[in-house]
Amino acid sequence: MPRFSSTPDLDLLFRPRSIAVAGASTNVDSPGHDYLESLKAQGFTGPIYPINPRAEEVAGLKAYPRLADVPGQVDLVISCVPASAVLELVEHCGERGVRFLHLFTGRFSETGDDDAANLEREIAASAAARGIRILGPNGMGLYHPAGGLSFRPDLPTESGSVAFLSQSGNNAVEVITRGNARGLKFGKVANYGNGLDVTPGEMLRYLADDPETSVIGAYVEGVPDGRGFFEGLSAAAAQKPVVVHKAGRTAAGARSAASHTAALAGAAELWSTVLRQAGAHEARNQEQLLDLMLGAALLPRATGRNIAVVGGGGGRSVQSADACEENGLTVVPLPDDVREKVRERAPQLAGWIGNPVDQSILAGSGLSSNGLLELMLQSDRYDLAIANVGEDWFFGRPDAGDRLKHACNRLAEICEKSPKPVAVVLGATETSNREHRQLVDDVRDQFTTRGIAVYPSVERAAFSLGRLTP
Amino acid sequence: MPRFSSTPDLDLLFRPRSIAVAGASTNVDSPGHDYLESLKAQGFTGPIYPINPRAEEVAGLKAYPRLADVPGQVDLVISCVPASAVLELVEHCGERGVRFLHLFTGRFSETGDDDAANLEREIAASAAARGIRILGPNGMGLYHPAGGLSFRPDLPTESGSVAFLSQSGNNAVEVITRGNARGLKFGKVANYGNGLDVTPGEMLRYLADDPETSVIGAYVEGVPDGRGFFEGLSAAAAQKPVVVHKAGRTAAGARSAASHTAALAGAAELWSTVLRQAGAHEARNQEQLLDLMLGAALLPRATGRNIAVVGGGGGRSVQSADACEENGLTVVPLPDDVREKVRERAPQLAGWIGNPVDQSILAGSGLSSNGLLELMLQSDRYDLAIANVGEDWFFGRPDAGDRLKHACNRLAEICEKSPKPVAVVLGATETSNREHRQLVDDVRDQFTTRGIAVYPSVERAAFSLGRLTP
């Protein structure tokens, strides 16, 4: 199937000046209605044209019977028409000089049906002949808050510099909402579904040089053009951090990928090698993807692997040490310069205290975890740090809420002024005590608002720091 | 140091009829106050005697200057006195015929100080000569809601049959509160700190035959007697599921364990072998510990490894398949009997639908994920199942809350009546949308109240099922 050999200007895909929605629907529980509501919710500033032969108005917008009836230029058409109506739509797009056609429409090659796969190829050929680029089919399409684009009405309107490419729309929703709750602000997101024409490799090449993008994530089930993907990935990873979650690694996963996006998924080991050679970070699941994107977006790069760990009781200290060492970080013992400073302020602890710092032995000493963290970050011996908040300890004390907020505020100040990366560990809010749950939520939101990277477990913090440190 | 060769009756340790707290304090921010408040909060029904030479009353209870002044029999003494006062306390315990002494008191061998280690040995010898068993030192002690025991005022009062042994008190707090929020109801919990006298091996032998206990978890940094531990573990694992989180696996972790509980931590591989030979499940971190305990406590055992997976969109399906296969479960394709039943109700899907079931292709077909799950569970081809709720999909629809609650209620009914294990996957509430967060919390609490096992990711569900299936 014909492809463009050089990277086209995908800017227009993410910044169309006008959009038509083919298959616009008055049914509020349908995609043909959702796309209109989504564009309105994101404040798309250009004209939006619902195409519907039977309605005067859809979602409060004046509707047009056919694309030919639309008064102005159309840069992007979003298709919610059935698969059988797409060939005709491509013709109409050609007549109106439409440059980009996003096919939300599915039921093509992913169904495993030969006729459907043939139709998909016909569509590709017809679009190519007319100079129309296709995103999809079988993909949820675009989210770009700065350009007013969205594929769901409930996605955040705040814009940032994290780009994400996804072969699965629902997966992108999860990544955007879960990432956003942790402080990841997204810019350009594209769901490319079957990847018939605009490929992930092509989008990676575009994002490599995109000044709006500082970190790139990708969810890939399979790629239509292996070489193009590798080239795009290498180009992007040379410019900015790229994290790739490759799914469909197992036989059953590959079978499922084929019926999801008609993707040809490959062997896990081969993919790991490819990602490493391209300079990308590999994530094995969505959690790792989010954790690595978060670290890449919010934390400075460490210049070495010697880690300081503070906070939590003795058990957490032991677990933190295991997690760090098992992720390739070195938990170096407390150096003499720090120990001397401890001796000045709490002589009885100087011989006992270690790295990780066990918070429970500090009680009444005049030294806090935060104080120790500051001393350790000042030492040349340490390149990066993990700070366990240890909220469960606070909940056993009087005035738990005030103390927790005070300690977290102090910790946030240390994180903000540190040139070395500090990952904060704050529990997963798994408690049946609603008051405690709320407190942890509030404190986490505080960190997140200040742009501090918070991980729900020390293992996940150590994993991310271990992978992101060169 | 002298040890009892046969298992003594630890029942009295968990069901003392009366308790004295040595070092009871009027300072509300001290352990000597906390223990009294904890016993009151758990509704301990026997007499509680605060020992304090200067106060008339502590925490609203009549105080006594010395243990000798207490009017009745004392089964258990909880010590919050300084290390230097413990030898004298042991003498007093001997004079009053006290059987169990829990030493919260720390700063012994874990400090690395020779004099402190010698004192610890002297205490052990003195207690043994007087027939007093010691729990600790340097341990938070007991939680047993049915017996009215607790070491923190804020722990759940609801009682259950999950036992937990922990070398770290704060770790136990996390395990109890996080487990409880997910539906784990704890019975006997013991924090044994340095494990000077009552060892984890001894407690495991006791719990093996304890009719109050159906599942056992343990957090171990190191064990004082390797052979005794192995024997206790084997005895317990022969009777009921046992999950062990061994920490201090790395050099830094072992160093930290030594300064935390004076534990001699061993090599990770050796421990894995020991746990496997004893028939216990190994957890590498607290998350795995909780996930495995949850599955062991709430799910029936599967009789085979063929898994049915439903729910979530196409991306989740691919990721679910990977997670299952990578955890030793077999995602068998949809068998003919189930496919025929699909054909009767939704002919257009019969050739396309697979296992995992992609929820997004069901829209408008008259078949739901729950309907498919029921059909698959009825088939002999499947031994167990994972049901992804896919809450993010609901949040994009109108009436999301009502629909989500309805679907989850239906799913809960299926779980309740299924003789095969069904693990539910419901997201980690990571969204900045407070309304959605609340909805997920409510729905999760509903499942939990009904005794259904909920995992925050499909990977964690697959890990637990993979490990727990024989």
Side-chain angles (χ1 to χ4, degrees), chain A residues 29 34 152 248 255 322 326 331 392 397 403 434 438 445, chain B residues 29 34 152 248-249 255 322 326 331 392 397 403 434 438 445:
Chain A
D29 194 10
D34 270 5
R152 284 242 307 212
R255 208 163 54 229
D322 280 348
E326 289 176 349
V331 185
D392 293 282
R397 311 309 325 145
R403 287 196 201 190
R434 292 254 167 168
Q438 188 61 49
D445 287 349
Chain B
D29 193 10
D34 270 5
R152 285 242 308 212
R249 292 185 300 270
R255 208 161 55 230
D322 281 348
E326 289 176 347
V331 185
D392 293 284
R397 312 307 327 143
R403 287 196 200 192
R434 292 256 167 168
Q438 187 62 49
D445 288 349

PDB file of all heavy atoms in Angstrom, chain A residues 29 34 152 248 255 322 326 331 392 397 403 434 438 445, chain B residues 29 34 152 248-249 255 322 326 331 392 397 403 434 438 445:
ATOM      1  N   ASP A  29     -25.929   8.610  23.481  1.00  0.00           N
ATOM      2  CA  ASP A  29     -25.088   7.479  23.885  1.00  0.00           C
ATOM      3  C   ASP A  29     -24.419   6.843  22.664  1.00  0.00           C
ATOM      4  O   ASP A  29     -24.418   5.629  22.502  1.00  0.00           O
ATOM      5  CB  ASP A  29     -25.959   6.446  24.627  1.00  0.00           C
ATOM      6  CG  ASP A  29     -25.097   5.410  25.361  1.00  0.00           C
ATOM      7  OD1 ASP A  29     -23.873   5.621  25.445  1.00  0.00           O
ATOM      8  OD2 ASP A  29     -25.663   4.409  25.833  1.00  0.00           O
ATOM      9  N   ASP A  34     -20.674  11.860  20.861  1.00  0.00           N
ATOM     10  CA  ASP A  34     -19.524  12.069  21.751  1.00  0.00           C
ATOM     11  C   ASP A  34     -18.458  12.997  21.167  1.00  0.00           C
ATOM     12  O   ASP A  34     -17.928  13.857  21.869  1.00  0.00           O
ATOM     13  CB  ASP A  34     -18.834  10.728  22.044  1.00  0.00           C
ATOM     14  CG  ASP A  34     -19.418  10.042  23.267  1.00  0.00           C
ATOM     15  OD1 ASP A  34     -20.406  10.561  23.824  1.00  0.00           O
ATOM     16  OD2 ASP A  34     -18.888   8.987  23.664  1.00  0.00           O
ATOM     17  N   ARG A 152     -13.057  12.193  24.033  1.00  0.00           N
ATOM     18  CA  ARG A 152     -14.016  11.927  25.107  1.00  0.00           C
ATOM     19  C   ARG A 152     -14.322  13.258  25.787  1.00  0.00           C
ATOM     20  O   ARG A 152     -13.442  14.082  25.978  1.00  0.00           O
ATOM     21  CB  ARG A 152     -13.424  10.964  26.157  1.00  0.00           C
ATOM     22  CG  ARG A 152     -13.377   9.528  25.728  1.00  0.00           C
ATOM     23  CD  ARG A 152     -14.227   8.622  26.606  1.00  0.00           C
ATOM     24  NE  ARG A 152     -13.949   8.731  28.023  1.00  0.00           N
ATOM     25  CZ  ARG A 152     -14.060   7.722  28.883  1.00  0.00           C
ATOM     26  NH1 ARG A 152     -14.400   6.517  28.448  1.00  0.00           N
ATOM     27  NH2 ARG A 152     -13.836   7.904  30.168  1.00  0.00           N
ATOM     28  N   GLY A 248       0.872  -7.708  23.730  1.00  0.00           N
ATOM     29  CA  GLY A 248       0.783  -8.796  22.750  1.00  0.00           C
ATOM     30  C   GLY A 248       2.086  -9.549  22.697  1.00  0.00           C
ATOM     31  O   GLY A 248       2.553  -9.930  21.623  1.00  0.00           O
ATOM     32  N   ARG A 255      -2.751 -13.176  19.771  1.00  0.00           N
ATOM     33  CA  ARG A 255      -4.039 -13.566  19.186  1.00  0.00           C
ATOM     34  C   ARG A 255      -5.084 -12.484  19.468  1.00  0.00           C
ATOM     35  O   ARG A 255      -5.848 -12.085  18.608  1.00  0.00           O
ATOM     36  CB  ARG A 255      -4.466 -14.885  19.818  1.00  0.00           C
ATOM     37  CG  ARG A 255      -5.338 -15.762  18.983  1.00  0.00           C
ATOM     38  CD  ARG A 255      -5.350 -17.207  19.516  1.00  0.00           C
ATOM     39  NE  ARG A 255      -5.716 -17.280  20.923  1.00  0.00           N
ATOM     40  CZ  ARG A 255      -5.037 -17.965  21.845  1.00  0.00           C
ATOM     41  NH1 ARG A 255      -3.935 -18.614  21.515  1.00  0.00           N
ATOM     42  NH2 ARG A 255      -5.429 -17.990  23.103  1.00  0.00           N
ATOM     43  N   ASP A 322      16.079  -3.365  49.769  1.00  0.00           N
ATOM     44  CA  ASP A 322      15.910  -4.457  48.800  1.00  0.00           C
ATOM     45  C   ASP A 322      15.465  -3.912  47.447  1.00  0.00           C
ATOM     46  O   ASP A 322      16.009  -4.280  46.403  1.00  0.00           O
ATOM     47  CB  ASP A 322      14.848  -5.451  49.296  1.00  0.00           C
ATOM     48  CG  ASP A 322      15.389  -6.424  50.345  1.00  0.00           C
ATOM     49  OD1 ASP A 322      16.619  -6.479  50.524  1.00  0.00           O
ATOM     50  OD2 ASP A 322      14.575  -7.120  50.979  1.00  0.00           O
ATOM     51  N   GLU A 326      17.737  -4.222  44.113  1.00  0.00           N
ATOM     52  CA  GLU A 326      17.220  -5.106  43.070  1.00  0.00           C
ATOM     53  C   GLU A 326      16.885  -4.347  41.790  1.00  0.00           C
ATOM     54  O   GLU A 326      16.627  -4.957  40.763  1.00  0.00           O
ATOM     55  CB  GLU A 326      16.007  -5.899  43.596  1.00  0.00           C
ATOM     56  CG  GLU A 326      16.445  -6.961  44.615  1.00  0.00           C
ATOM     57  CD  GLU A 326      15.304  -7.741  45.270  1.00  0.00           C
ATOM     58  OE1 GLU A 326      14.135  -7.355  45.118  1.00  0.00           O
ATOM     59  OE2 GLU A 326      15.594  -8.733  45.946  1.00  0.00           O
ATOM     60  N   VAL A 331      22.660   1.438  47.613  1.00  0.00           N
ATOM     61  CA  VAL A 331      22.298   2.052  48.894  1.00  0.00           C
ATOM     62  C   VAL A 331      23.580   2.182  49.717  1.00  0.00           C
ATOM     63  O   VAL A 331      23.874   1.338  50.564  1.00  0.00           O
ATOM     64  CB  VAL A 331      21.249   1.194  49.630  1.00  0.00           C
ATOM     65  CG1 VAL A 331      20.775   1.882  50.910  1.00  0.00           C
ATOM     66  CG2 VAL A 331      20.047   0.925  48.725  1.00  0.00           C
ATOM     67  N   ASP A 392       1.288   5.802  57.477  1.00  0.00           N
ATOM     68  CA  ASP A 392       0.650   4.936  58.469  1.00  0.00           C
ATOM     69  C   ASP A 392       1.200   5.186  59.867  1.00  0.00           C
ATOM     70  O   ASP A 392       0.509   4.999  60.856  1.00  0.00           O
ATOM     71  CB  ASP A 392       0.823   3.471  58.072  1.00  0.00           C
ATOM     72  CG  ASP A 392       0.060   3.151  56.804  1.00  0.00           C
ATOM     73  OD1 ASP A 392      -1.159   2.995  56.894  1.00  0.00           O
ATOM     74  OD2 ASP A 392       0.676   3.121  55.729  1.00  0.00           O
ATOM     75  N   ARG A 397      -0.509   8.607  65.582  1.00  0.00           N
ATOM     76  CA  ARG A 397      -0.158   9.680  66.508  1.00  0.00           C
ATOM     77  C   ARG A 397      -1.318  10.671  66.663  1.00  0.00           C
ATOM     78  O   ARG A 397      -2.150  10.776  65.769  1.00  0.00           O
ATOM     79  CB  ARG A 397       1.079  10.466  66.016  1.00  0.00           C
ATOM     80  CG  ARG A 397       2.299   9.656  65.596  1.00  0.00           C
ATOM     81  CD  ARG A 397       2.781   8.610  66.588  1.00  0.00           C
ATOM     82  NE  ARG A 397       2.625   8.977  67.982  1.00  0.00           N
ATOM     83  CZ  ARG A 397       2.327   8.129  68.965  1.00  0.00           C
ATOM     84  NH1 ARG A 397       2.111   6.861  68.699  1.00  0.00           N
ATOM     85  NH2 ARG A 397       2.224   8.537  70.200  1.00  0.00           N
ATOM     86  N   ARG A 403       0.229  16.971  61.506  1.00  0.00           N
ATOM     87  CA  ARG A 403       1.628  16.548  61.428  1.00  0.00           C
ATOM     88  C   ARG A 403       1.991  16.051  60.037  1.00  0.00           C
ATOM     89  O   ARG A 403       3.062  16.352  59.506  1.00  0.00           O
ATOM     90  CB  ARG A 403       1.879  15.392  62.399  1.00  0.00           C
ATOM     91  CG  ARG A 403       1.904  15.798  63.841  1.00  0.00           C
ATOM     92  CD  ARG A 403       2.543  14.664  64.616  1.00  0.00           C
ATOM     93  NE  ARG A 403       2.179  14.709  66.018  1.00  0.00           N
ATOM     94  CZ  ARG A 403       2.757  13.958  66.949  1.00  0.00           C
ATOM     95  NH1 ARG A 403       3.696  13.106  66.613  1.00  0.00           N
ATOM     96  NH2 ARG A 403       2.386  14.044  68.204  1.00  0.00           N
ATOM     97  N   ARG A 434     -12.126   6.366  56.052  1.00  0.00           N
ATOM     98  CA  ARG A 434     -12.370   7.383  55.011  1.00  0.00           C
ATOM     99  C   ARG A 434     -11.622   8.689  55.287  1.00  0.00           C
ATOM    100  O   ARG A 434     -11.199   9.377  54.368  1.00  0.00           O
ATOM    101  CB  ARG A 434     -13.872   7.679  54.902  1.00  0.00           C
ATOM    102  CG  ARG A 434     -14.665   6.523  54.349  1.00  0.00           C
ATOM    103  CD  ARG A 434     -15.095   6.809  52.918  1.00  0.00           C
ATOM    104  NE  ARG A 434     -15.586   5.589  52.304  1.00  0.00           N
ATOM    105  CZ  ARG A 434     -16.240   5.534  51.156  1.00  0.00           C
ATOM    106  NH1 ARG A 434     -16.468   6.636  50.478  1.00  0.00           N
ATOM    107  NH2 ARG A 434     -16.636   4.397  50.646  1.00  0.00           N
ATOM    108  N   GLN A 438      -8.949  10.335  52.767  1.00  0.00           N
ATOM    109  CA  GLN A 438      -9.088  11.706  52.296  1.00  0.00           C
ATOM    110  C   GLN A 438      -7.796  12.492  52.539  1.00  0.00           C
ATOM    111  O   GLN A 438      -7.337  13.254  51.686  1.00  0.00           O
ATOM    112  CB  GLN A 438     -10.265  12.373  53.025  1.00  0.00           C
ATOM    113  CG  GLN A 438     -10.635  13.739  52.495  1.00  0.00           C
ATOM    114  CD  GLN A 438     -11.061  13.690  51.049  1.00  0.00           C
ATOM    115  OE1 GLN A 438     -11.893  12.879  50.664  1.00  0.00           O
ATOM    116  NE2 GLN A 438     -10.469  14.538  50.213  1.00  0.00           N
ATOM    117  N   ASP A 445      -2.419  15.144  46.290  1.00  0.00           N
ATOM    118  CA  ASP A 445      -2.767  16.215  45.351  1.00  0.00           C
ATOM    119  C   ASP A 445      -1.850  17.423  45.530  1.00  0.00           C
ATOM    120  O   ASP A 445      -1.498  18.101  44.563  1.00  0.00           O
ATOM    121  CB  ASP A 445      -4.237  16.629  45.532  1.00  0.00           C
ATOM    122  CG  ASP A 445      -5.202  15.572  44.988  1.00  0.00           C
ATOM    123  OD1 ASP A 445      -4.740  14.640  44.306  1.00  0.00           O
ATOM    124  OD2 ASP A 445      -6.413  15.681  45.246  1.00  0.00           O
TER     125      ASP A 445
ATOM    126  N   ASP B  29       1.194  11.316  73.685  1.00  0.00           N
ATOM    127  CA  ASP B  29       1.982  11.022  72.485  1.00  0.00           C
ATOM    128  C   ASP B  29       3.124  10.054  72.811  1.00  0.00           C
ATOM    129  O   ASP B  29       4.275  10.288  72.434  1.00  0.00           O
ATOM    130  CB  ASP B  29       2.520  12.330  71.897  1.00  0.00           C
ATOM    131  CG  ASP B  29       3.071  12.135  70.483  1.00  0.00           C
ATOM    132  OD1 ASP B  29       2.856  11.054  69.905  1.00  0.00           O
ATOM    133  OD2 ASP B  29       3.713  13.069  69.978  1.00  0.00           O
ATOM    134  N   ASP B  34      -0.371   4.834  74.485  1.00  0.00           N
ATOM    135  CA  ASP B  34      -1.004   4.172  73.334  1.00  0.00           C
ATOM    136  C   ASP B  34      -1.523   2.779  73.660  1.00  0.00           C
ATOM    137  O   ASP B  34      -2.627   2.412  73.227  1.00  0.00           O
ATOM    138  CB  ASP B  34       0.016   4.016  72.201  1.00  0.00           C
ATOM    139  CG  ASP B  34       0.019   5.211  71.272  1.00  0.00           C
ATOM    140  OD1 ASP B  34      -0.703   6.188  71.562  1.00  0.00           O
ATOM    141  OD2 ASP B  34       0.743   5.169  70.264  1.00  0.00           O
ATOM    142  N   ARG B 152      -2.274  -0.520  68.488  1.00  0.00           N
ATOM    143  CA  ARG B 152      -2.562   0.847  68.025  1.00  0.00           C
ATOM    144  C   ARG B 152      -4.040   1.092  68.227  1.00  0.00           C
ATOM    145  O   ARG B 152      -4.862   0.200  67.996  1.00  0.00           O
ATOM    146  CB  ARG B 152      -2.233   1.013  66.532  1.00  0.00           C
ATOM    147  CG  ARG B 152      -0.772   1.110  66.215  1.00  0.00           C
ATOM    148  CD  ARG B 152      -0.393   2.425  65.574  1.00  0.00           C
ATOM    149  NE  ARG B 152      -1.198   2.783  64.425  1.00  0.00           N
ATOM    150  CZ  ARG B 152      -0.744   3.475  63.383  1.00  0.00           C
ATOM    151  NH1 ARG B 152       0.529   3.841  63.345  1.00  0.00           N
ATOM    152  NH2 ARG B 152      -1.531   3.810  62.404  1.00  0.00           N
ATOM    153  N   GLY B 248      15.128  -8.124  53.344  1.00  0.00           N
ATOM    154  CA  GLY B 248      16.548  -8.204  53.658  1.00  0.00           C
ATOM    155  C   GLY B 248      17.237  -9.193  52.737  1.00  0.00           C
ATOM    156  O   GLY B 248      18.107  -9.949  53.144  1.00  0.00           O
ATOM    157  N   ARG B 249      16.819  -9.168  51.466  1.00  0.00           N
ATOM    158  CA  ARG B 249      17.372 -10.120  50.493  1.00  0.00           C
ATOM    159  C   ARG B 249      18.711  -9.649  49.939  1.00  0.00           C
ATOM    160  O   ARG B 249      19.541 -10.433  49.532  1.00  0.00           O
ATOM    161  CB  ARG B 249      16.406 -10.295  49.323  1.00  0.00           C
ATOM    162  CG  ARG B 249      15.109 -11.002  49.678  1.00  0.00           C
ATOM    163  CD  ARG B 249      14.289 -11.239  48.423  1.00  0.00           C
ATOM    164  NE  ARG B 249      13.944 -10.001  47.743  1.00  0.00           N
ATOM    165  CZ  ARG B 249      12.844  -9.310  47.981  1.00  0.00           C
ATOM    166  NH1 ARG B 249      11.971  -9.723  48.875  1.00  0.00           N
ATOM    167  NH2 ARG B 249      12.600  -8.197  47.319  1.00  0.00           N
ATOM    168  N   ARG B 255      21.860  -5.370  55.776  1.00  0.00           N
ATOM    169  CA  ARG B 255      22.498  -4.410  56.683  1.00  0.00           C
ATOM    170  C   ARG B 255      21.413  -3.641  57.441  1.00  0.00           C
ATOM    171  O   ARG B 255      21.489  -3.435  58.646  1.00  0.00           O
ATOM    172  CB  ARG B 255      23.340  -3.446  55.840  1.00  0.00           C
ATOM    173  CG  ARG B 255      24.520  -2.841  56.526  1.00  0.00           C
ATOM    174  CD  ARG B 255      25.515  -2.292  55.523  1.00  0.00           C
ATOM    175  NE  ARG B 255      24.907  -1.330  54.598  1.00  0.00           N
ATOM    176  CZ  ARG B 255      25.049  -1.389  53.276  1.00  0.00           C
ATOM    177  NH1 ARG B 255      25.745  -2.349  52.703  1.00  0.00           N
ATOM    178  NH2 ARG B 255      24.469  -0.472  52.503  1.00  0.00           N
ATOM    179  N   ASP B 322      -1.532 -11.194  28.030  1.00  0.00           N
ATOM    180  CA  ASP B 322      -0.103 -11.213  28.381  1.00  0.00           C
ATOM    181  C   ASP B 322       0.080 -11.532  29.861  1.00  0.00           C
ATOM    182  O   ASP B 322       0.909 -12.368  30.234  1.00  0.00           O
ATOM    183  CB  ASP B 322       0.538  -9.845  28.095  1.00  0.00           C
ATOM    184  CG  ASP B 322       0.856  -9.640  26.619  1.00  0.00           C
ATOM    185  OD1 ASP B 322       0.791 -10.620  25.855  1.00  0.00           O
ATOM    186  OD2 ASP B 322       1.177  -8.500  26.245  1.00  0.00           O
ATOM    187  N   GLU B 326       1.970 -14.864  31.141  1.00  0.00           N
ATOM    188  CA  GLU B 326       3.261 -14.655  31.803  1.00  0.00           C
ATOM    189  C   GLU B 326       3.229 -15.103  33.264  1.00  0.00           C
ATOM    190  O   GLU B 326       4.261 -15.195  33.910  1.00  0.00           O
ATOM    191  CB  GLU B 326       3.713 -13.191  31.655  1.00  0.00           C
ATOM    192  CG  GLU B 326       4.121 -12.883  30.210  1.00  0.00           C
ATOM    193  CD  GLU B 326       4.504 -11.436  29.939  1.00  0.00           C
ATOM    194  OE1 GLU B 326       4.252 -10.553  30.786  1.00  0.00           O
ATOM    195  OE2 GLU B 326       5.068 -11.181  28.863  1.00  0.00           O
ATOM    196  N   VAL B 331      -4.684 -18.988  28.486  1.00  0.00           N
ATOM    197  CA  VAL B 331      -5.846 -18.272  27.954  1.00  0.00           C
ATOM    198  C   VAL B 331      -6.373 -19.068  26.758  1.00  0.00           C
ATOM    199  O   VAL B 331      -6.051 -18.760  25.616  1.00  0.00           O
ATOM    200  CB  VAL B 331      -5.465 -16.830  27.558  1.00  0.00           C
ATOM    201  CG1 VAL B 331      -6.693 -16.046  27.111  1.00  0.00           C
ATOM    202  CG2 VAL B 331      -4.788 -16.120  28.717  1.00  0.00           C
ATOM    203  N   ASP B 392     -13.209   2.844  33.369  1.00  0.00           N
ATOM    204  CA  ASP B 392     -12.939   4.041  32.563  1.00  0.00           C
ATOM    205  C   ASP B 392     -13.840   4.109  31.334  1.00  0.00           C
ATOM    206  O   ASP B 392     -14.153   5.182  30.845  1.00  0.00           O
ATOM    207  CB  ASP B 392     -11.458   4.067  32.151  1.00  0.00           C
ATOM    208  CG  ASP B 392     -10.568   4.271  33.352  1.00  0.00           C
ATOM    209  OD1 ASP B 392     -10.487   5.405  33.828  1.00  0.00           O
ATOM    210  OD2 ASP B 392      -9.988   3.290  33.838  1.00  0.00           O
ATOM    211  N   ARG B 397     -19.583   7.252  29.304  1.00  0.00           N
ATOM    212  CA  ARG B 397     -20.973   7.092  28.896  1.00  0.00           C
ATOM    213  C   ARG B 397     -21.906   7.954  29.761  1.00  0.00           C
ATOM    214  O   ARG B 397     -21.568   8.299  30.888  1.00  0.00           O
ATOM    215  CB  ARG B 397     -21.425   5.628  29.006  1.00  0.00           C
ATOM    216  CG  ARG B 397     -20.512   4.576  28.413  1.00  0.00           C
ATOM    217  CD  ARG B 397     -20.097   4.796  26.956  1.00  0.00           C
ATOM    218  NE  ARG B 397     -21.101   5.444  26.130  1.00  0.00           N
ATOM    219  CZ  ARG B 397     -20.835   6.322  25.175  1.00  0.00           C
ATOM    220  NH1 ARG B 397     -19.590   6.681  24.920  1.00  0.00           N
ATOM    221  NH2 ARG B 397     -21.788   6.855  24.472  1.00  0.00           N
ATOM    222  N   ARG B 403     -24.899   2.889  35.627  1.00  0.00           N
ATOM    223  CA  ARG B 403     -24.507   1.734  34.820  1.00  0.00           C
ATOM    224  C   ARG B 403     -23.404   0.937  35.506  1.00  0.00           C
ATOM    225  O   ARG B 403     -23.421  -0.291  35.516  1.00  0.00           O
ATOM    226  CB  ARG B 403     -23.967   2.210  33.468  1.00  0.00           C
ATOM    227  CG  ARG B 403     -25.026   2.717  32.541  1.00  0.00           C
ATOM    228  CD  ARG B 403     -24.404   2.769  31.158  1.00  0.00           C
ATOM    229  NE  ARG B 403     -25.153   3.650  30.284  1.00  0.00           N
ATOM    230  CZ  ARG B 403     -24.970   3.691  28.966  1.00  0.00           C
ATOM    231  NH1 ARG B 403     -24.066   2.922  28.412  1.00  0.00           N
ATOM    232  NH2 ARG B 403     -25.672   4.509  28.227  1.00  0.00           N
ATOM    233  N   ARG B 434     -12.897  13.810  41.246  1.00  0.00           N
ATOM    234  CA  ARG B 434     -13.277  13.335  42.595  1.00  0.00           C
ATOM    235  C   ARG B 434     -14.544  12.491  42.567  1.00  0.00           C
ATOM    236  O   ARG B 434     -14.707  11.582  43.361  1.00  0.00           O
ATOM    237  CB  ARG B 434     -13.481  14.523  43.541  1.00  0.00           C
ATOM    238  CG  ARG B 434     -12.211  15.262  43.861  1.00  0.00           C
ATOM    239  CD  ARG B 434     -11.731  14.921  45.267  1.00  0.00           C
ATOM    240  NE  ARG B 434     -10.370  15.400  45.439  1.00  0.00           N
ATOM    241  CZ  ARG B 434      -9.758  15.466  46.605  1.00  0.00           C
ATOM    242  NH1 ARG B 434     -10.371  15.088  47.707  1.00  0.00           N
ATOM    243  NH2 ARG B 434      -8.513  15.887  46.686  1.00  0.00           N
ATOM    244  N   GLN B 438     -14.779   8.686  43.891  1.00  0.00           N
ATOM    245  CA  GLN B 438     -15.751   8.281  44.904  1.00  0.00           C
ATOM    246  C   GLN B 438     -16.558   7.080  44.419  1.00  0.00           C
ATOM    247  O   GLN B 438     -16.801   6.133  45.170  1.00  0.00           O
ATOM    248  CB  GLN B 438     -16.673   9.475  45.213  1.00  0.00           C
ATOM    249  CG  GLN B 438     -17.616   9.254  46.373  1.00  0.00           C
ATOM    250  CD  GLN B 438     -16.847   9.017  47.669  1.00  0.00           C
ATOM    251  OE1 GLN B 438     -15.939   9.757  48.002  1.00  0.00           O
ATOM    252  NE2 GLN B 438     -17.191   7.957  48.384  1.00  0.00           N
ATOM    253  N   ASP B 445     -15.832  -0.922  47.679  1.00  0.00           N
ATOM    254  CA  ASP B 445     -16.303  -1.273  49.022  1.00  0.00           C
ATOM    255  C   ASP B 445     -17.454  -2.275  48.960  1.00  0.00           C
ATOM    256  O   ASP B 445     -17.560  -3.158  49.802  1.00  0.00           O
ATOM    257  CB  ASP B 445     -16.736  -0.009  49.793  1.00  0.00           C
ATOM    258  CG  ASP B 445     -15.542   0.838  50.217  1.00  0.00           C
ATOM    259  OD1 ASP B 445     -14.398   0.345  50.105  1.00  0.00           O
ATOM    260  OD2 ASP B 445     -15.745   1.984  50.655  1.00  0.00           O
TER     261      ASP B 445
END
